[in-house]
Structures are given as C-alpha cells and as structure tokens.
Amino acid sequence: MSPIASPIAAHAIWNRCPGTARGVVLLAGSLGSDATMWQPQIAALTPDVDVLRIEHRGHGASPSTPGPYDLDDLTDDVLAVLDREGVEDVTMVGLSIGGMIAINCALRAPHRFPRLVLLCTSAHLGPASAWQERAARVRAQGPGVIAADVVSRWFTAAYAQAHPDDVQRMIDMIAATDPEGYAGCCEAIAAMDLRPRLPHLHSQVLAIPGAQDRTTPPEHLHQICDAVPTAHLVTVPGAHLASWENADEVNRLIREHLNLPADLPADLPADPPAVDQKQSREQSQEVAPPRPAQTHPGQL
Ligand SMILES: O=C(O)CC1=CCC(=O)O1
C-alpha cells in the first residue's frame, strides 16, 4: 500500500454523447499510457454513451505519489473519480493493468460495474521479480529507458513496420510517464493475484485477447473466463495494444457488449471534443457537435 493516503484526485477526461446517453463507459489504460491511447475508441462510442477516460497515478495528468502501490490504491482512485463525477455505475473497459483494476473494481463494488470489457489483461502476471526489477530501473533511469522495448510488444511486427509514427508516439507517451508513478504501478502488478477471487466476479464480462500478444497471451484471458461464469471471450488479431492496431474490430465488440447497434452514423467527426473533468456537465454538452437523433433510447 502506498505510504500516502489513497485515493488521489486522478485526472479524467469526458467525451459526451450529445443526445440521450445510454450510460457511461469508463476507459482505463495500460502501464505507461495516458488517455490518448483510447483515441480510436472515442468516435465509435460517443454517438451512444458518455465516455470517461481515467489516467492512473503518475500517468498523463494525474498526480504521482510515492510507491509502491497496490491494486486497491488504483481501484480507490477509480472509485473516487466516479464519486467526484457523480457517476453511479459504468461499463468499465480496461486494457492490461486497466483490466486488472477493472476486475478489482467489480469485486469491490459489484453494483457499480455491471459490465466489464477486459482487453489484453491477466489475473496474475508474474514473475514478480521482473516487475520489481523494471520498477527499480525506471526509478533510477526513467521510463524512457524501457519504452522502445515495451512498445515492441504492443504492436505486431507488420503493423509497427507500416506505422512508425504510431510506434514513436507510444514510445514518447511511455517516456513522459512520471517515473515514480510508473514504478509504483509495476509494483502493483508484481503483488497482484486475482485468481482466487475470480469466481466471485458477477459482472457480465467480455474478454478480448490479442492473438499475437506476448505479454498477456490469450491463455491469460481464457483463465479468467474459465473462472468467471458470466464471461465470454473473443480473440482478435493484434499484439498487446489490440485496441489500437485492430480498433474497428474491438470497437464493434465493445458496442455489441453494450447492446448498441453495430451501425454507426456515417457523418461521425473523426475526433469528437474532449472535455476536461473540471468543466461542468452542461458546458461539455454545449461544446459537443450536433449528431443524429437517438433512435434507440434506453439505459445501459
Ligand atoms: O508494459 C508492459 O510490458 C505491458 C504491460 C503489462 C501490464 C500493463 O499494463 O502493460
């Protein structure tokens, strides 16, 4: 547990549905990410739901505290963001450490997390010594020293070769993470073992592994689904950041899990406006562009 009282005031960004939102989708990313890792998901979700992206401690614009952290610290941060933003329940989509936090959120506050989408994640990601070594290295030298190696596992070789700008963008994002925040999250992964608690998870779970993911291979997601009666699994092509490399397929699966129509309005803006948490709900709706009227009212 962090020596600093948790939770912190984690940074979170809203993208609002301009019509009647059918609930809130909370996105929680991977180690070393900021909210921009979810950019391919925003336009696909905001026609129907409000989207809230949280940044973990020391990641993006969230403040850092001295580590080590544990999964409960990071879960406290999520629950505090929901309380602060006045959100009772969400569908939580978590990738990698974001998925680990999503499972822990749903175990601790089941009524607030009726649905989960677990992307490229694991209930136990050893060996702990490797995470402790990475934490020590990052504290000493900063996350820039491991960024290229990490990103070499985020994309397939073919995608990385064809998209060098994406590779560089992700390396820069990891390198910009606060060293203590990054190291503290490594230590949370080192200490994590959710396996014995999985049978107590009662959310509707969609698990999505990347077929070529070497960090959290499909077996890790199968293990989760085997232990969770309400879970089902769909494998997509891609490595650890399958939500980026294979965004269309992942977006379709998320929409399906939300019971949203697969067809999106044709005139979606490429990049709908993001609204910082400090702006009010009313302000955020004013800046949203006009969209077609909702033809499928209802609550998620
Ligand atoms: O950083 C990595 O190597 C991949 C990863 C593991 C947990 C996470 O969030 O990212």
Side-chain angles (χ1 to χ4, degrees):
M1 176 77 75
S2 160
I4 303 294
S6 63
I8 57 135
H11 184 249
I13 298 170
W14 282 105
N15 292 86
R16 297 283 189 184
C17 168
T20 305
R22 297 179 64 185
V24 177
V25 171
L26 175 68
L27 303 175
S30 65
L31 180 64
S33 72
D34 61 30
T36 65
M37 72 153 268
W38 295 110
Q39 203 166 305
Q41 276 64 57
I42 302 303
L45 296 175
T46 46
D48 297 286
V49 294
D50 288 333
V51 177
L52 182 60
R53 289 174 281 169
I54 186 169
E55 294 177 322
H56 308 304
R57 277 176 201 220
H59 289 57
S62 285
S64 179
T65 58
Y69 314 148
D70 64 24
L71 214 52
D72 279 327
D73 293 321
L74 302 169
T75 300
D76 287 343
D77 296 345
V78 171
L79 296 174
V81 164
L82 297 187
D83 290 345
R84 184 184 74 210
E85 300 296 321
V87 178
E88 178 53 26
D89 60 83
V90 296
T91 296
M92 186 162 178
V93 180
L95 188 141
S96 205
I97 193 172
M100 302 167 197
I101 297 167
I103 294 171
N104 202 40
C105 282
L107 287 167
R108 281 185 42 189
H111 60 290
R112 303 187 82 170
F113 301 90
R115 281 183 200 79
L116 303 182
V117 179
L118 305 177
L119 276 153
C120 304
T121 192
S122 179
H124 178 249
L125 195 57
S129 58
W131 292 107
Q132 280 149 357
E133 281 160 25
R134 197 195 289 193
R137 196 153 172 234
V138 165
R139 274 201 183 90
Q141 297 174 271
V145 72
I146 46 97
D149 181 52
V150 168
V151 174
S152 74
R153 296 185 295 274
W154 279 15
F155 298 122
T156 60
Y159 184 90
Q161 197 170 9
H163 300 86
D165 291 352
D166 287 2
V167 172
Q168 191 56 51
R169 171 191 176 139
M170 296 302 170
I171 290 173
D172 293 345
M173 178 178 75
I174 293 173
T177 309
D178 177 82
E180 188 61 25
Y182 191 102
C185 286
C186 288
E187 288 158 338
I189 296 169
M192 175 208 63
D193 188 357
L194 291 163
R195 290 173 297 181
R197 296 165 65 210
L198 288 176
H200 302 291
L201 185 58
H202 298 300
S203 310
Q204 295 297 317
V205 173
L206 168 63
I208 309 179
Q212 292 87 26
D213 184 2
R214 291 179 285 139
T215 305
T216 51
E219 303 89 84
H220 288 231
L221 282 296
H222 278 286
Q223 184 181 49
I224 293 171
C225 288
D226 288 347
V228 178
T230 53
H232 72 286
L233 179 144
V234 182
T235 305
V236 298
H240 193 57
L241 208 65
S243 57
W244 188 282
E245 179 168 339
N246 200 6
D248 287 349
E249 177 68 358
V250 168
N251 292 344
R252 194 183 61 73
L253 291 169
I254 296 173
R255 288 182 61 85
E256 219 171 76
H257 195 55
L258 295 169
N259 297 317
L260 296 175
D263 292 335
L264 287 165
D267 58 348
L268 285 176
D271 211 352
V275 179
D276 197 82
Q277 59 193 10
K278 294 186 189 69
Q279 290 178 256
S280 72
R281 196 177 180 90
E282 291 72 27
Q283 282 172 317
S284 72
Q285 285 172 345
E286 278 168 21
V287 298
R291 303 270 189 106
Q294 303 292 305
T295 54
H296 35 71
Q299 284 296 308
L300 288 174

